[in-house]
Amino acid sequence: MRLHVTGATGYLGSELVRLRPDASTERVEIRDPNAVDELFSRLRPEVVIHTAYRQDGPDARGINVDGAENVARAAARLGARLVHLSTDVVFDGRKGAPYVEADEPSPVSKYGRTKAEAERRVAAASPGALIVRTSLIVGGAEPSKHELAACRPGTWFTNEIRSPVQVTDLARALLELAVLEVAGPLHVAGAEDVSRAELAELVTGRPVDSAEAPPTRPLDCRLDSSHARSLLRTRLRGVREVLG
Ligand SMILES: NC(=O)c1ccc[n+]([C@@H]2O[C@H](COP(=O)([O-])OP(=O)(O)OC[C@H]3O[C@@H](n4cnc5c(N)ncnc54)[C@H](OP(=O)(O)O)[C@@H]3O)[C@@H](O)[C@H]2O)c1
């Protein structure tokens, strides 16, 4: 299949390209719909994996929402399969149990709101798109931003729970899912749930300063990935196995 990866220089994007060196990676400004259309008309990808985003800053909404919609529209015009990357923080973290695909997004952070809106826009523009919600990405050849942060002085939250995923596991899963007939939201995260404080201890190998996070943050955003597991050959390892 002709594969195009957006955000190919990023943490996940570069792992996808390492696994699929034949993928096209040319970067255009995704907020520019004409640039995305021109690129896809020229490359004619059969599958697009859309990882490009910004976590924060003044451009985040335009990139995460309008950019994602532009990618989805351009892919749909060509009849290309779209795998769109989303996040566990489309949820508010107040359910008290792992989130399943049928749960309604209810973001409480600015970033989460952009990604939830992106999901809606992508689904409308490209109804066959697969929307992969994942958790903290860790464990590559280079440390991820979460691992780097854990090594800096700071206080880590004991009640902010995530299901971290190893970057190669996630990339392999995405490549498998790219050719399966599955659409809509799908949770693809690691097999173990840990707090931010536990994650920092796993990364550093020593106790860290910890505290409870304020309730305004997305606290318990565990993802239930059992549907993905039933579809995949790739094993989504737990974070203790990956970093322990
Ligand atoms: N990292 C995590 O722990 C995590 C957790 C949950 C979900 N996710 C999701 O996973 C995806 C990938 O995350 P990541 O951490 O691998 O990303 P990343 O390392 O921050 O890389 C982001 C990529 O997006 C590109 N990009 C940013 N703005 C762009 C624009 N306007 N036009 C074109 N390209 C642009 C960047 O290229 P330039 O540097 O050239 O701008 C870069 O290649 C995201 O959709 C994110 O929401 C990530």
Side-chain angles (χ1 to χ4, degrees), residues 5-20:
V5 176
T6 71
T9 58
Y11 197 67
L12 175 61
S14 56
E15 185 62 12
L16 283 162
V17 176
R18 191 181 70 79
L19 296 175
R20 278 291 305 266

Side-chain angles (χ1 to χ4, degrees), residues 8 11 34 41 44 53 69 92 95 107 115 129 139 173 176 207 222:
Y11 197 67
N34 296 329
S41 307
R44 306 204 72 77
Y53 90 122
E69 184 175 38
D92 60 16
K95 183 183 173 186
K115 294 296 276 190
E176 270 194 62
R222 284 173 284 162

Side-chain angles (χ1 to χ4, degrees), residues 145-156 200 204 206 208:
K145 61 183 175 187
H146 309 295
E147 292 162 273
L148 291 173
C151 296
R152 291 194 284 268
T155 300
W156 303 100
T204 59
R206 54 184 151 73
V208 296

Side-chain angles (χ1 to χ4, degrees), residues 56-137:
D56 42 37
D59 297 336
R61 194 177 177 285
I63 292 168
N64 297 354
V65 179
D66 304 326
E69 184 175 38
N70 292 337
V71 169
R73 285 220 169 112
R77 240 171 245 133
L78 283 179
R81 161 95 163 135
L82 175 64
V83 178
H84 168 82
L85 265 293
S86 190
T87 173
D88 50 3
V89 296
V90 296
F91 298 115
D92 60 16
R94 292 170 192 155
K95 183 183 173 186
Y99 284 94
V100 294
E101 287 81 355
D103 288 321
E104 272 304 309
S106 49
V108 292
S109 68
K110 208 168 168 184
Y111 165 60
R113 280 193 287 274
T114 68
K115 294 296 276 190
E117 190 176 347
E119 287 191 1
R120 290 192 294 275
R121 298 258 203 112
V122 164
S126 180
L130 178 65
I131 295 173
V132 170
R133 297 187 187 126
T134 193
S135 185
L136 308 179
I137 307 175

